[in-house]
Structures are given as C-alpha cells and as structure tokens.
Amino acid sequence: MRRIVIAGGSGMIGRHLTVALLADGYAVDVLTRAPSRTRLPRGARAVAWQGAPTRQLSSVLAGAEAIVNLAGESIGPRPWTPARKRAIRDSRVRATAAIVNAVSALPAAERPRVLLSASGTDVYVGRDDVPATESTPPGDDFLARVCIEWEAAAFAAADLGVRVVIVRQAFVLAREAAVLGLMALPFRLFAGGPIGSGRQWFSWVHVDDLVALYRWALADDGVEGVINAAAPEPCRNADLAAAMGHVLGRPNWLPAPAWAVRLALRDQSTLVLGSRRAVPARALEAGFGFAYPELQAALREALGGR
C-alpha cells in the first residue's frame, strides 16, 4: 500500500488531510511528539518524533511516497515574547531541516518522491497594491522572514531529487478552527465589527479546498515550487465583518480601533491589522475548482450560520 508521512498531522489541518488520504487508499503515518495522547482518524498510525533528526525518522520516511510537512508552533494566541518568536521560527525551520536531513540519509531509491511543505500567505503582508501571486516579492516583517526561511529549508530537498511544493496557506475557515471561533464571539455577543480601518485585505481558504489543493499537488507531478492556497477572492476586513454578521444574524456595527489593537497585541497585531491579498494564480491556471470560492458560503459552513 502507498504510504504518506505527515509531520504535524495531529492538528486541525492534518486531521482533515489524514481522513482524505485514508479515503484515497493511502496508509498514513503521523509524526507527533506525544503518540499516546494523539487522537487520529481510524486507520492512521502515530509515530513519535520530537522535531530533531534521528535514525528513526529516516526509517519512517524510507519507502514513503510523500511527506507532508505541517510542523510548527501556533502563531497565536500567546504573546510574541522573544522566546515565543524563537519557538515559532525554530519549530518550522529546524523541523523542516531535520526532515530534509533524514531524507538525505536514505538511498535514492528509498526517498519519498515529493515533499509538500506548508508556509503562509503572511509572506505577502503589505504587498497588496495588486493581488499577490506566487511570483510577488515577499514582505520583510517577522512572519514573512519566518516563511522565507521555512521555505528555503524545504527547497533543500530538491537537491536530493525530491519534488518540492510549498503550500502558502491563507487563514483557514473550518468548524474546528479555534481562532475563527474567537473572531466570531464578539458578533455572537452583538458587539462585532471591523478591526481598525477595515480596509486591510484578508486572504482565506475553506479547509475542504485546502485539503483538495494538497491532494492536487500530491497527485500532479507537474506541480512544483510555490502555490498559494487561498480562495480566489480575498476581501477587506470590513467585508469579512459584514459577511460574518450576516451569516450569524448579528449586527457588525462596533469597530475595534487600530490603536487599541496595537496596544493590546503589539507586534502580534499584524495578525489582524496586517494586509494580505493573495490569490491562487497557479491553481486557477491549472483549472483547479474551488468548492468554496465565496466567503459567505464558506463562513456559513464553518460557523453553522443561517
């Protein structure tokens, strides 16, 4: 049976992807720090891995068809102290380098044929004069620099004969998405509205489409390099607030001032005030069909609204 290894597969995206890959007939090994406490879909196997290069990691990767690298500490909601920033960076860059090192230790015939490695549309923060495609130059804030280092670590696998696909993920809409639930809470309490000016761009993708993009990149040997995993139509923050209010049947009349957000979140305020206007140019050119191209329909499914 064909086998896929997912690093960081115990999170929300990993669980959705695991279910889809099992349905496609793959065997799935999930690398996780705590196998005994990890709840996985039936049929998947949890494998202990602490994010460092080991002989065991090489043995797990040997003979696998593909690696999906989703490893990385959450960028929220804990404050971005210097130690927290190091953890965000190291959990991505070092873990990815460890995977590539483990692949390099394998004979060529036993190496996975493809590495699908996550990144983020945070690389485009502030690059919003026009929609950002995969060829748009990166920004220069903390998250953008992390993404570039993360991607560079993954691209090193190309020198080993491995096809590398970088999946720059937008904000993921899903029922289990904790951050989406926090965003919706003020609306449920009749106190929702735009954040700051409301003019900053918001790139998003429904989890079903994100999983479909991973499956497409896995199956199509012609997909290589960077792809944007974002819905075709990014929106302004004010439009997001209006759509969320409509879906939940609540008003969106109470804006959150930008100065208050910056005071409360400091550097982390870029998560809500930063502007990301990414579009999936390569996927659209290839004829990829999105199940949720429109924001209201995606929010309705994710939030269970009217």
Side-chain angles (χ1 to χ4, degrees), residues 7 10 20 64 101 180 189 198 239 287 289:
S10 59
N101 286 339
L180 179 62
L189 298 176
D239 298 324

Side-chain angles (χ1 to χ4, degrees), residues 204 239 242-244 246-247 292-302 306:
W204 58 275
D239 298 324
M244 194 168 288
H246 179 78
V247 166
Y292 292 95
E294 297 180 354
L295 179 62
Q296 277 198 22
L299 283 173
R300 190 174 298 113
E301 196 286 329
R306 66 185 185 185

Side-chain angles (χ1 to χ4, degrees), residues 27-105:
V28 179
D29 289 339
V30 175
L31 302 179
T32 176
R33 293 180 181 274
S36 62
R37 299 198 304 270
T38 299
R39 298 178 62 185
L40 297 176
R42 184 182 299 273
R45 182 177 71 136
V47 179
W49 182 54
Q50 302 303 314
T54 63
R55 288 185 180 180
Q56 182 192 13
L57 178 58
S58 291
S59 66
V60 172
L61 299 182
E65 181 167 328
I67 309 165
V68 181
N69 177 27
L70 304 174
E73 293 271 351
S74 171
I75 60 176
R78 292 161 52 193
W80 283 359
T81 62
R84 182 69 179 148
K85 284 186 173 182
R86 284 194 299 273
I88 288 170
R89 176 199 174 275
D90 291 350
S91 64
R92 288 161 170 77
V93 178
R94 291 186 178 180
T96 303
I99 289 169
V100 175
N101 286 339
V103 172
S104 71

